[in-house]
PDB file of all heavy atoms in Angstrom:
ATOM      1  N   GLU X 377      52.225-128.172 -39.425  1.00  0.00           N
ATOM      2  CA  GLU X 377      52.916-126.955 -39.028  1.00  0.00           C
ATOM      3  C   GLU X 377      52.370-125.767 -39.802  1.00  0.00           C
ATOM      4  O   GLU X 377      52.138-125.845 -41.017  1.00  0.00           O
ATOM      5  CB  GLU X 377      54.420-127.084 -39.281  1.00  0.00           C
ATOM      6  CG  GLU X 377      55.138-128.010 -38.315  1.00  0.00           C
ATOM      7  CD  GLU X 377      56.637-127.956 -38.487  1.00  0.00           C
ATOM      8  OE1 GLU X 377      57.092-127.600 -39.594  1.00  0.00           O
ATOM      9  OE2 GLU X 377      57.368-128.259 -37.524  1.00  0.00           O
ATOM     10  N   ILE X 378      52.176-124.661 -39.096  1.00  0.00           N
ATOM     11  CA  ILE X 378      51.745-123.415 -39.725  1.00  0.00           C
ATOM     12  C   ILE X 378      52.607-122.277 -39.198  1.00  0.00           C
ATOM     13  O   ILE X 378      53.197-122.371 -38.119  1.00  0.00           O
ATOM     14  CB  ILE X 378      50.249-123.110 -39.457  1.00  0.00           C
ATOM     15  CG1 ILE X 378      49.999-122.971 -37.949  1.00  0.00           C
ATOM     16  CG2 ILE X 378      49.361-124.182 -40.048  1.00  0.00           C
ATOM     17  CD1 ILE X 378      48.579-122.542 -37.614  1.00  0.00           C
ATOM     18  N   GLY X 379      52.687-121.190 -39.956  1.00  0.00           N
ATOM     19  CA  GLY X 379      53.419-120.014 -39.501  1.00  0.00           C
ATOM     20  C   GLY X 379      54.916-120.125 -39.684  1.00  0.00           C
ATOM     21  O   GLY X 379      55.429-120.898 -40.484  1.00  0.00           O
ATOM     22  N   GLY X 380      55.642-119.310 -38.936  1.00  0.00           N
ATOM     23  CA  GLY X 380      57.095-119.224 -39.033  1.00  0.00           C
ATOM     24  C   GLY X 380      57.520-117.924 -39.699  1.00  0.00           C
ATOM     25  O   GLY X 380      56.768-116.941 -39.723  1.00  0.00           O
ATOM     26  N   LYS X 381      58.706-117.904 -40.252  1.00  0.00           N
ATOM     27  CA  LYS X 381      59.199-116.713 -40.954  1.00  0.00           C
ATOM     28  C   LYS X 381      58.365-116.494 -42.209  1.00  0.00           C
ATOM     29  O   LYS X 381      58.155-117.415 -42.997  1.00  0.00           O
ATOM     30  CB  LYS X 381      60.673-116.859 -41.303  1.00  0.00           C
ATOM     31  CG  LYS X 381      61.592-116.881 -40.083  1.00  0.00           C
ATOM     32  CD  LYS X 381      63.048-117.006 -40.485  1.00  0.00           C
ATOM     33  CE  LYS X 381      63.964-117.025 -39.266  1.00  0.00           C
ATOM     34  NZ  LYS X 381      65.387-117.167 -39.641  1.00  0.00           N
ATOM     35  N   ALA X 382      57.905-115.262 -42.398  1.00  0.00           N
ATOM     36  CA  ALA X 382      56.999-114.963 -43.502  1.00  0.00           C
ATOM     37  C   ALA X 382      57.755-114.762 -44.811  1.00  0.00           C
ATOM     38  O   ALA X 382      58.906-114.304 -44.829  1.00  0.00           O
ATOM     39  CB  ALA X 382      56.163-113.731 -43.178  1.00  0.00           C
ATOM     40  N   GLN X 383      57.102-115.104 -45.912  1.00  0.00           N
ATOM     41  CA  GLN X 383      57.668-114.911 -47.244  1.00  0.00           C
ATOM     42  C   GLN X 383      57.166-113.622 -47.888  1.00  0.00           C
ATOM     43  O   GLN X 383      57.940-112.786 -48.332  1.00  0.00           O
ATOM     44  CB  GLN X 383      57.307-116.103 -48.147  1.00  0.00           C
ATOM     45  CG  GLN X 383      57.677-115.932 -49.605  1.00  0.00           C
ATOM     46  CD  GLN X 383      59.173-115.862 -49.826  1.00  0.00           C
ATOM     47  OE1 GLN X 383      59.926-116.614 -49.211  1.00  0.00           O
ATOM     48  NE2 GLN X 383      59.616-114.968 -50.701  1.00  0.00           N
ATOM     49  N   THR X 384      55.858-113.456 -47.951  1.00  0.00           N
ATOM     50  CA  THR X 384      55.286-112.258 -48.554  1.00  0.00           C
ATOM     51  C   THR X 384      53.905-112.012 -47.987  1.00  0.00           C
ATOM     52  O   THR X 384      53.308-112.889 -47.347  1.00  0.00           O
ATOM     53  CB  THR X 384      55.207-112.400 -50.082  1.00  0.00           C
ATOM     54  OG1 THR X 384      54.814-111.149 -50.654  1.00  0.00           O
ATOM     55  CG2 THR X 384      54.175-113.444 -50.479  1.00  0.00           C
ATOM     56  N   MET X 385      53.390-110.809 -48.202  1.00  0.00           N
ATOM     57  CA  MET X 385      52.035-110.484 -47.773  1.00  0.00           C
ATOM     58  C   MET X 385      51.418-109.501 -48.754  1.00  0.00           C
ATOM     59  O   MET X 385      52.118-108.798 -49.491  1.00  0.00           O
ATOM     60  CB  MET X 385      52.034-109.902 -46.358  1.00  0.00           C
ATOM     61  CG  MET X 385      52.766-108.595 -46.201  1.00  0.00           C
ATOM     62  SD  MET X 385      52.671-108.003 -44.484  1.00  0.00           S
ATOM     63  CE  MET X 385      53.615-106.496 -44.606  1.00  0.00           C
ATOM     64  N   CYS X 386      50.094-109.504 -48.786  1.00  0.00           N
ATOM     65  CA  CYS X 386      49.364-108.579 -49.648  1.00  0.00           C
ATOM     66  C   CYS X 386      48.084-108.169 -48.944  1.00  0.00           C
ATOM     67  O   CYS X 386      47.517-108.934 -48.158  1.00  0.00           O
ATOM     68  CB  CYS X 386      49.068-109.202 -51.011  1.00  0.00           C
ATOM     69  SG  CYS X 386      48.099-110.732 -50.947  1.00  0.00           S
ATOM     70  N   MET X 387      47.643-106.947 -49.206  1.00  0.00           N
ATOM     71  CA  MET X 387      46.429-106.413 -48.593  1.00  0.00           C
ATOM     72  C   MET X 387      45.397-106.164 -49.675  1.00  0.00           C
ATOM     73  O   MET X 387      45.730-105.729 -50.782  1.00  0.00           O
ATOM     74  CB  MET X 387      46.735-105.124 -47.827  1.00  0.00           C
ATOM     75  CG  MET X 387      45.521-104.474 -47.185  1.00  0.00           C
ATOM     76  SD  MET X 387      45.942-103.104 -46.078  1.00  0.00           S
ATOM     77  CE  MET X 387      46.489-103.999 -44.606  1.00  0.00           C
ATOM     78  N   SER X 388      44.138-106.440 -49.351  1.00  0.00           N
ATOM     79  CA  SER X 388      43.061-106.209 -50.302  1.00  0.00           C
ATOM     80  C   SER X 388      42.930-104.720 -50.582  1.00  0.00           C
ATOM     81  O   SER X 388      43.253-103.887 -49.733  1.00  0.00           O
ATOM     82  CB  SER X 388      41.747-106.760 -49.750  1.00  0.00           C
ATOM     83  OG  SER X 388      41.385-106.073 -48.561  1.00  0.00           O
ATOM     84  N   PRO X 389      42.468-104.345 -51.766  1.00  0.00           N
ATOM     85  CA  PRO X 389      42.334-102.916 -52.096  1.00  0.00           C
ATOM     86  C   PRO X 389      41.440-102.154 -51.122  1.00  0.00           C
ATOM     87  O   PRO X 389      41.670-100.970 -50.879  1.00  0.00           O
ATOM     88  CB  PRO X 389      41.727-102.944 -53.501  1.00  0.00           C
ATOM     89  CG  PRO X 389      42.175-104.242 -54.075  1.00  0.00           C
ATOM     90  CD  PRO X 389      42.186-105.195 -52.918  1.00  0.00           C
ATOM     91  N   GLN X 390      40.423-102.818 -50.542  1.00  0.00           N
ATOM     92  CA  GLN X 390      39.572-102.158 -49.555  1.00  0.00           C
ATOM     93  C   GLN X 390      40.238-102.047 -48.200  1.00  0.00           C
ATOM     94  O   GLN X 390      39.769-101.306 -47.335  1.00  0.00           O
ATOM     95  CB  GLN X 390      38.239-102.911 -49.402  1.00  0.00           C
ATOM     96  CG  GLN X 390      37.299-102.773 -50.585  1.00  0.00           C
ATOM     97  CD  GLN X 390      37.643-103.733 -51.709  1.00  0.00           C
ATOM     98  OE1 GLN X 390      38.563-104.546 -51.578  1.00  0.00           O
ATOM     99  NE2 GLN X 390      36.930-103.656 -52.809  1.00  0.00           N
TER     100      GLN X 390
END
Side-chain angles (χ1 to χ4, degrees):
E377 287 188 335
I378 61 175
K381 293 181 180 179
Q383 172 66 41
T384 188
M385 63 179 179
C386 59
M387 178 171 282
S388 63
Q390 288 82 3

